[in-house]
Amino acid sequence: MASTRQSLDSPSSPSSFLAPLSISAAKIHSLARSLCSTFTSLAANSQEQFLPTPISDSVLRPEGDESGRYLAIDIGGTNLRVGFIELLDSDETSKDTTARGEHASERSRVRRHLEKSWPIGEQLKHNKAEDLFAWIGKCIAEVVQDGCLTWPEDLPDEIPLGITFSFPMIQHTLSEATLMSMGKGFQITSNLDLGRLLLEGYEKSRGPSLPRIKITAIVNDAVATLVSFAYQFRSNARRKAAMGLIVGTGCNATIPLALSKLHPKKRPAKVKVLDSDGEAEVDQDLKIAVNTEWTIRGAAGPLHDLDFITRWDEKLDAEGEAPGFQPFEYMTAGRYLGELGRIIILDYLTNNLSVPEPTLPPLLTQRHGLSTTFLGNLGPHLATTEPSLLRQLEIEIPPSAKGDAWHWTADVAEMVYDIAKAIQVRAAGMTAAAIIALLACAEEIHFSPLPQNLPNGAVTTSISVNGTKEALDELMVGYTGGCIVHFQDYLADCQGFLDEIMEAEFGRREHREDVHVYVPRVVLMPCHDGGIIGAGILAGTVQSLARDG
């Protein structure tokens, strides 16, 4: 272990207390290179990460005129959403309300109808699978009933359904999948038939007046995000929708990879393609959407080697539901950042300031007593509604009722804000490194074997994109999730780190042009609600293939 690792009971000065969390552009660049090698190895060897889907790149970017109304559900770590997704004809579009700035004129061929959302309570997470899916089936039946009332005589006897499932699974076909261990607080075991459980759950609530449902597509949330994102930008030749990214309750990504990069046992025998009757034998150079599950333990090596994991991360991991399972996620995702902050704050108060633990606010001594939402929003920007950082803390984490209770001070409030920012900056940098690493693993960009920087910062190696010299302007990463959007400056800092990694690897953009180096900018683009929209798009695409076949 490096010397920055300190004992939990060893005080340090305030100026050096947060040093274990500090990162630099050089450290993040090194992490990106190391993760690229790790991801390449995991794709080739791991049976629990880089999970293939039977979805070809052509299905991700369909050129046909899919249209119609399809049922879609998004089963997330926090909420369940059910609704109808309508795919419009090519000559019928609606304004894309998620587009911003210069992209605000983008038009969408997707409309959402009758969508409802339900929180997934902690009790449901601890129930057995049959109970959870019976509740999900009841929610689906409620939306289907709304559809029957809204479009009487217009719904088919059997409604095509697309499912987004925000947990690891093994896909046998596009409509058949087996659950793996779920994580995110769920206690459901693995090796369960997802489609069977969902159909049985719906049938328990389906009355004689409601139509049946037919599962046409099951995908992970990161896959669905990529499907939705690629559908939005499928006609833009200079800007490629290259990757789907989730940074919400959990953290995950999906990207198309060549079959040849995957272990032979992971390669689907048949893949859904558009230039066949639906499923076909394919060559090993074909790209398919791969659910990376990049936060699982197999990706932990570079985090240890480069000294990213602190004593606080180790404590959070050891006290979690599944120690060692998802170390990258514990450091980057919404379910864990609040608890990480609580652990660090508690350490600072008891070991640096020598505050007796029994006198502290009770929430600080309780596991998950500090929410990610509060820590992510804490800051001077709230001064318009709350007079100070101190007051924000006093309201959210009130002092003990005991007579000898310790009380917040302005100096400690500033330190808590510094802790929140340090957690966020590190998370943003790690996520940026993983994005670049995955793009390089997929050969969307190419790391130079031994980069030799010229004095002006340019790179001597000529870089190709997608195997050609025809440069893209942008490689777009479609992101969604409350954590990357709302936790401090996560989004802006992540984009900043992306730019810094690319500059460190390939030189400044103006210098690349001088030496004819062709490298696109890696750009984060919003793809909110991609889970439910992507499920509906896939259901429509598969149904279109069935009709055409």
Side-chain angles (χ1 to χ4, degrees), residues 185-244:
F186 286 80
Q187 302 302 312
I188 293 175
T189 57
S190 58
N191 298 319
L192 297 174
D193 185 332
L194 175 57
R196 178 185 61 80
L197 286 169
L198 197 142
L199 289 174
E200 289 176 354
Y202 176 70
E203 285 299 318
K204 290 177 181 178
S205 295
R206 183 177 77 88
S209 63
L210 295 186
R212 300 184 305 277
I213 58 175
K214 176 185 178 182
I215 297 174
T216 59
I218 301 174
V219 291
N220 178 271
D221 57 342
V223 176
T225 296
L226 179 58
V227 168
S228 175
F229 191 52
Y231 192 84
Q232 177 184 354
F233 289 99
R234 58 184 179 167
S235 61
N236 196 319
R238 302 285 298 181
R239 304 167 68 218
K240 182 176 182 179
M243 178 178 163

Side-chain angles (χ1 to χ4, degrees), residues 16 19 275 299 374 465 517 526:
S16 63
D275 54 356
F374 172 75
V465 179
V517 174

Side-chain angles (χ1 to χ4, degrees), residues 54-245:
I55 304 172
S56 71
D57 207 28
S58 64
V59 172
L60 284 174
R61 311 170 205 281
E63 298 297 333
D65 291 326
E66 306 82 11
S67 62
R69 198 180 293 122
Y70 306 95
L71 187 61
I73 67 171
D74 180 5
I75 307 171
T78 305
N79 297 297
L80 166 71
R81 289 191 295 173
V82 184
F84 284 90
I85 300 298
E86 183 178 7
L87 304 183
L88 306 177
D89 291 326
S90 57
D91 59 349
E92 186 181 8
T93 61
S94 59
K95 188 70 174 290
D96 179 9
T97 57
T98 67
R100 296 184 175 95
E102 63 182 288
H103 308 301
S105 62
E106 295 282 358
R107 309 294 293 188
S108 174
R109 287 179 51 195
V110 175
R111 284 182 185 156
R112 295 153 64 186
H113 301 282
L114 307 179
E115 188 175 313
K116 292 185 176 180
S117 177
W118 297 263
I120 302 176
E122 291 301 315
Q123 183 59 46
L124 281 168
K125 294 181 180 181
H126 289 85
N127 284 350
K128 59 183 181 180
E130 290 77 10
D131 294 336
L132 173 63
F133 281 90
W135 173 77
I136 292 173
K138 179 176 178 292
C139 296
I140 294 172
E142 184 177 321
V143 172
V144 172
Q145 178 67 52
D146 291 345
C148 291
L149 295 174
T150 303
W151 307 295
E153 311 299 328
D154 196 26
L155 292 180
D157 294 335
E158 191 173 62
I159 305 175
L161 169 67
I163 302 169
T164 289
F165 193 66
S166 304
F167 306 90
M169 58 187 173
I170 298 173
Q171 284 202 254
H172 311 292
T173 68
L174 187 52
S175 58
E176 296 175 319
T178 300
L179 299 186
M180 300 172 66
S181 295
M182 292 178 65
K184 301 178 187 175
F186 286 80
Q187 302 302 312
I188 293 175
T189 57
S190 58
N191 298 319
L192 297 174
D193 185 332
L194 175 57
R196 178 185 61 80
L197 286 169
L198 197 142
L199 289 174
E200 289 176 354
Y202 176 70
E203 285 299 318
K204 290 177 181 178
S205 295
R206 183 177 77 88
S209 63
L210 295 186
R212 300 184 305 277
I213 58 175
K214 176 185 178 182
I215 297 174
T216 59
I218 301 174
V219 291
N220 178 271
D221 57 342
V223 176
T225 296
L226 179 58
V227 168
S228 175
F229 191 52
Y231 192 84
Q232 177 184 354
F233 289 99
R234 58 184 179 167
S235 61
N236 196 319
R238 302 285 298 181
R239 304 167 68 218
K240 182 176 182 179
M243 178 178 163
L245 173 69

Side-chain angles (χ1 to χ4, degrees), residues 279-296:
E279 287 184 338
E281 306 287 340
V282 292
D283 67 70
Q284 299 307 302
D285 291 328
L286 183 74
K287 283 193 171 185
I288 62 169
V290 171
N291 168 29
T292 66
E293 296 296 342
W294 65 4
T295 66
I296 292 178

